[in-house]
Amino acid sequence: MNNINLIGIRNKITLGIPITSIPLKVTYYSRVSTEHNNQLNSLTNQSTYFTNYIKQNKEWTYIPGYIEQGISGTTDYKREQFMNMINDAKQNKFDLIITKEISRFSRNTLDSIKYTRELLNNGVAVLFLNDNINTIYSDSELRLTIMSSLAQDEIRRLSERVKFGMN
């Protein structure tokens, strides 16, 4: 049950029509992995930015976002808001999810691919702003796989550095 006509939107974008000029129900996903003050400020800033970004586009309908604090992106089972977002997508509550970057969405390559595919199968695209990846495009999965792998490796290297420092 698709929310949006992905092929129709791809055609419009190919013709030069910006996605911000296409009527869509749009939400966002924000996550930080710790509850340190600087990360909580980042979370507030992300939420404010996304809310304003969505509301400033006259063709878009704002749907309140999904926010997680103090939650790692390496697994999905502890991410209640993320799973709520996936379930709401299946209920046609929105057409597009905006997130800052792939590492905010997931730090696991397989999860990134699994959930973006699942969302697309339900007619929901994901726009990763900083990575300039929009899953509405047919070539996005290749780029998403590469960038997700980098995000996953980044967390592995960070973990190794922390363990080394503790030893």
Side-chain angles (χ1 to χ4, degrees), residues 2-163:
N2 287 355
N3 294 357
I4 54 176
N5 176 348
L6 295 176
I7 294 171
I9 291 177
R10 284 177 184 152
N11 289 340
K12 287 180 181 181
I13 291 171
T14 302
L15 292 172
I17 298 171
I19 194 164
T20 54
S21 296
I22 300 171
L24 299 170
K25 297 179 290 183
V26 183
T27 190
Y28 66 90
Y29 177 74
S30 296
R31 180 190 63 77
V32 294
S33 55
T34 69
E35 294 190 14
H36 293 111
N37 281 340
N38 62 338
Q39 285 221 324
L40 294 179
N41 286 337
S42 171
L43 192 60
T44 300
N45 291 341
Q46 284 180 55
S47 297
T48 301
Y49 176 81
F50 290 134
T51 298
N52 292 337
Y53 183 76
I54 295 166
K55 287 183 174 181
Q56 79 182 6
N57 291 297
K58 294 178 183 7
E59 295 298 322
W60 287 358
T61 301
Y62 171 78
I63 306 298
Y66 299 81
I67 303 165
E68 311 228 59
Q69 64 185 41
I71 303 291
S72 170
T74 56
T75 60
D76 58 1
Y77 65 91
K78 293 182 182 177
R79 298 169 63 196
E80 184 178 328
Q81 287 299 306
F82 184 84
M83 297 313 294
N84 287 342
M85 178 181 71
I86 299 299
N87 289 329
D88 287 349
K90 294 174 184 176
Q91 296 175 25
N92 300 324
K93 292 189 177 181
F94 44 82
D95 307 308
L96 177 67
I97 300 166
I98 298 176
T99 192
K100 182 179 177 187
E101 56 198 21
I102 292 167
S103 66
R104 299 298 89 210
F105 188 79
S106 179
R107 286 208 182 249
N108 180 302
T109 304
L110 295 176
D111 282 350
S112 293
I113 300 303
K114 171 186 165 184
Y115 286 112
T116 54
R117 281 181 178 172
E118 188 174 330
L119 288 163
L120 281 173
N121 286 337
N122 285 282
V124 177
V126 182
L127 173 60
F128 301 94
L129 283 179
N130 289 2
D131 301 306
N132 196 28
I133 296 175
N134 185 342
T135 62
I136 212 154
Y137 292 110
S138 55
D139 72 341
S140 66
E141 191 168 298
L142 171 64
R143 295 174 49 220
L144 179 64
T145 302
I146 293 166
M147 297 301 289
S148 292
S149 296
L150 293 173
Q152 181 176 320
D153 193 56
E154 178 185 340
I155 198 70
R156 180 197 55 80
R157 286 183 285 132
L158 177 62
S159 177
E160 287 175 355
R161 287 192 296 264
V162 168
K163 287 176 187 173

